[in-house]
Amino acid sequence: MGPGCSAIAYGASEEIGPFKINKAGSNLFLNCFSWNTEANLLFLESPVGVGFSYTNTSSDLMESGDERTAQENLIFLINWMSRFPQYQYRDFYIAGESYAGHYVPQLAKKIHEYNKAFQKPIINLKGFMVGNPDMDKNNDKLGTITYWWSHAMISDATYNSILKNCNFTAERFSKECDSAIYNAAADFGDIDQYSIYTPKCRPQQQTNETTKFVQMHKTRRFLAEYDPCTEDYAEIYYNHPEVQRAMHANHTVIPYKWTACSDFVFDKWNWRDSDNSMLPIYKELIAAGLRIWVYSGDTDSVIPVTATRFSLSKLNLPVKTRWYPWYSGDQVGGRTEVYEGLTFVTIRGAGHEIPLLQPQSALILLRSFLAGKELPRSY
């Protein structure tokens, strides 16, 4: 996850971990679509300062960046494999979403370079996959604006104003561009931009009976288990002292509450470097023969499917298997196209956190990825 967000709060507790948190934030229940049914899972809080991760040198929190994060993640994995040698040499895959579109390929590159330096590397990297990922600054932003307009989130006037006034390759936006983006936010209305067709989380005291009925009706169209307030439950649960003791976390008893995301970690003044494009790394790792899958929930407007498609198109990869619908149970789960060296997948009806909204489809995605097989064409 990222930037500055906890893999424990989101990946482990909301999406793919063996347990989820109940609505009171007081207990756990089994996740029947957990990815640990298919593979051993290791959740990494990255970079330092995220979640319960910490440093004894406070200045470290002001010197984070892409390069440092990748290097520290590599060091962690080397040490972890040494500490648990029974996992050395097993097939190893990396997965992530959102700003992990930087973390995952950058770490994969570090591991690949580390492996080339040793005859018997202990990290047997086979591939990686990323969901709704940051990939390329210019194409991602252009694709995002296109998504907003094509999904009737913004007016024609706002769309044309953004295209006229915004230079997506610039270090800073102009005042005219900022104004156009501000107008776009007003056009959205009060929605969940990470999942544009599902209800937004509302504080319980603001929810009347009519709202409850509307939210229930909308939610059932997608998945009965979906709850837009899951992040709130995580922030309650991980602040329980008994939970922290069980996790051997927060021994120093910090004077503030644990939060799912830390804005300070990715503060623009503290983050030292953020590569404009991951595409050169993709080219390098495709040439190295790694298995690479890029997937996208098609109802996310923050890093939408159009942004990912614009970015992938710049790789100019030959098509191996042309676009086709794949199935999750007896319904279309999404669409996919297989290129030479990379597989692209969409997940129908899923937002930014795909396993939260479409857990069955996400599990089918994982199984196909690990097996190195194309997604099912029928039910």
Side-chain angles (χ1 to χ4, degrees), residues 141-330:
K141 290 180 178 177
L142 182 60
T144 298
I145 302 304
T146 302
Y147 186 92
W148 293 349
W149 178 79
S150 64
H151 286 71
M153 295 175 65
I154 60 174
S155 68
D156 291 357
T158 299
Y159 175 64
N160 291 326
S161 179
I162 292 173
L163 293 183
K164 177 182 177 181
N165 294 298
C166 293
N167 176 5
F168 297 130
T169 61
E171 287 296 321
R172 292 185 179 182
F173 288 164
S174 65
K175 290 182 179 179
E176 293 78 10
C177 177
D178 284 338
S179 177
I181 297 294
Y182 179 83
N183 290 336
D187 287 352
F188 295 162
D190 190 15
I191 64 168
D192 183 351
Q193 295 177 42
Y194 292 94
S195 179
I196 64 174
Y197 297 127
T198 52
K200 186 175 181 179
C201 179
R202 301 292 185 197
Q204 190 169 2
Q205 64 270 22
Q206 295 181 13
T207 305
N208 58 35
E209 291 304 315
T210 301
T211 304
K212 286 181 181 178
F213 174 81
V214 172
Q215 288 184 350
M216 191 181 347
H217 177 71
K218 288 181 178 178
T219 302
R220 284 175 179 168
R221 289 177 54 208
F222 284 86
L223 186 75
E225 292 87 350
Y226 173 67
D227 186 334
C229 300
T230 51
E231 179 183 328
D232 294 350
Y233 312 149
E235 294 203 350
I236 295 171
Y237 184 76
Y238 289 112
N239 274 295
H240 290 312
E242 61 272 24
V243 172
Q244 295 180 2
R245 284 194 298 271
M247 296 177 66
H248 307 286
N250 193 20
H251 287 301
T252 58
V253 190
I254 55 177
Y256 49 87
K257 287 189 174 182
W258 179 93
T259 57
C261 293
S262 172
D263 293 334
F264 181 82
V265 169
F266 200 73
D267 184 276
K268 64 180 179 180
W269 304 114
N270 299 329
W271 199 262
R272 299 300 180 184
D273 64 290
S274 180
D275 289 346
N276 285 333
S277 179
M278 294 294 102
L279 300 183
I281 296 180
Y282 275 84
K283 291 179 180 178
E284 180 179 342
L285 297 180
I286 287 172
L290 292 185
R291 183 181 306 159
I292 302 173
W293 283 33
V294 178
Y295 58 97
S296 184
D298 62 12
T299 67
D300 173 26
S301 74
V302 177
I303 310 177
V305 62
T306 44
T308 302
R309 294 177 76 177
F310 281 11
S311 294
L312 288 177
S313 70
K314 299 300 179 181
L315 291 173
N316 295 314
L317 299 173
V319 175
K320 182 178 178 181
T321 303
R322 66 175 296 276
W323 187 277
Y324 69 89
W326 62 275
Y327 282 80
S328 175
D330 61 355

Side-chain angles (χ1 to χ4, degrees), residues 2 11 45 47 61 68 70 91 97 104 109 115 160 162 259 265 278 286-287 302 325 358 364:
E45 299 285 57
L61 300 175
R68 179 168 182 163
D91 289 355
E97 64 191 5
V104 169
K109 179 180 178 181
N115 285 347
N160 291 326
I162 292 173
T259 57
V265 169
M278 294 294 102
I286 287 172
V302 177
Q358 296 293 343
I364 292 171

